[in-house]
Amino acid sequence: MTESPVHTALWPAPHASGPVDATVTVPGSKSVTNRALVLAALAAEPGWLRRPLRSRDTLLMAEALRAMGVGIEEQVSSSSTATGGPDTGEAWRIIPAGLHGPATVDVGNAGTVMRFLPPVAALADGPVRFDGDPRSYERPLGEVIRALRALGARIDDGGRGALPMTVHGRGALDGGEVEIDASSSSQFVSALLLSSPASTRGWRSGTGARGCRPCRTSG
């Protein structure tokens, strides 16, 4: 006997019954928000991040920076811009401070958090422990670890080249030249570029494996 096929009910997509006249605010970018948080945390003076994307990854980044001593105040802005227009919406005020441990960073499964913050932790004074979801243990991180070690950082990862791990910051990182293979993730390069200006001499990194384009950074 032939069984009757099972028909899956289709989702009834909403539709307008007439012309649409609306104003839609485009949400922020998770990637840009997390990059901006790192840059603002390493800046010399407090700054503002306006209309950040509020997501699990960005909240994890903010909490991690707070754990290392950075002040992040979440506010709702109702000020005016320089051109006189309204500048309403959420705004985060980032207040740089001396980075320090001991601290614990929960990366969740966010690639930006697990890759952008180890260089920041290397600039902190004290140990910073990184852990996250079980899936985060499988994601590529080895090139960031290897590059930071080449620049003088001390990292305990049990030889895995992956999470969990502890970065033993000593308050500064001299910098220098390092080569990385960014074929697994372009975030490896971004991780070094974001923190390079905060090091003593800047970091010069080249990506030369498997067709990666070279880059140079300086403080």
Side-chain angles (χ1 to χ4, degrees):
M1 184 176 81
T2 304
E3 296 182 0
S4 299
V6 177
H7 296 283
T8 303
L10 299 177
W11 175 64
H15 62 279
S17 58
V20 177
D21 182 6
T23 300
V24 178
T25 300
V26 178
S29 162
K30 176 184 71 175
S31 179
V32 171
T33 297
N34 274 355
R35 283 168 168 80
L37 280 170
V38 171
L39 290 173
L42 296 176
E45 299 178 354
W48 288 93
L49 177 55
R50 303 192 185 279
R51 299 189 185 92
L53 178 68
R54 178 176 287 272
S55 67
R56 185 192 184 205
D57 288 8
T58 59
L59 294 177
L60 286 171
M61 178 69 83
E63 285 304 310
L65 291 170
R66 286 186 179 113
M68 286 187 274
V70 179
I72 301 178
E73 301 173 352
E74 302 177 24
Q75 303 179 14
V76 176
S77 174
S78 59
S79 62
S80 299
T81 63
T83 59
D87 187 20
T88 59
E90 187 169 7
W92 294 354
R93 185 168 187 256
I94 295 88
I95 306 169
L99 299 169
H100 63 79
T104 299
V105 170
D106 176 9
V107 308
N109 192 32
T112 52
V113 181
M114 73 176 67
R115 292 165 185 151
F116 294 173
L117 286 188
V120 176
L123 298 167
D125 184 7
V128 180
R129 173 77 173 171
F130 286 80
D131 208 338
D133 298 350
R135 175 69 178 90
S136 69
Y137 300 174
E138 305 170 13
R139 302 192 65 183
L141 185 61
E143 280 297 298
V144 174
I145 295 173
R146 189 188 65 77
L148 289 175
R149 283 180 174 146
L151 293 167
R154 178 189 161 203
I155 301 175
D156 293 337
D157 65 339
R160 294 179 302 274
L163 295 175
M165 68 180 188
T166 299
V167 178
H168 296 273
R170 51 185 177 82
L173 204 58
D174 291 339
E177 184 168 341
V178 64
E179 183 171 310
I180 62 174
D181 177 359
S183 57
S184 296
S185 174
S186 63
Q187 291 178 352
F188 296 163
V189 178
S190 298
L192 297 182
L193 287 171
L194 289 168
S195 295
S196 172
S199 64
T200 304
R201 294 187 291 122
W203 304 337
R204 220 169 37 252
S205 63
T207 56
R210 291 195 285 278
C212 295
R213 299 178 64 184
C215 73
R216 289 288 181 266
T217 74
S218 61

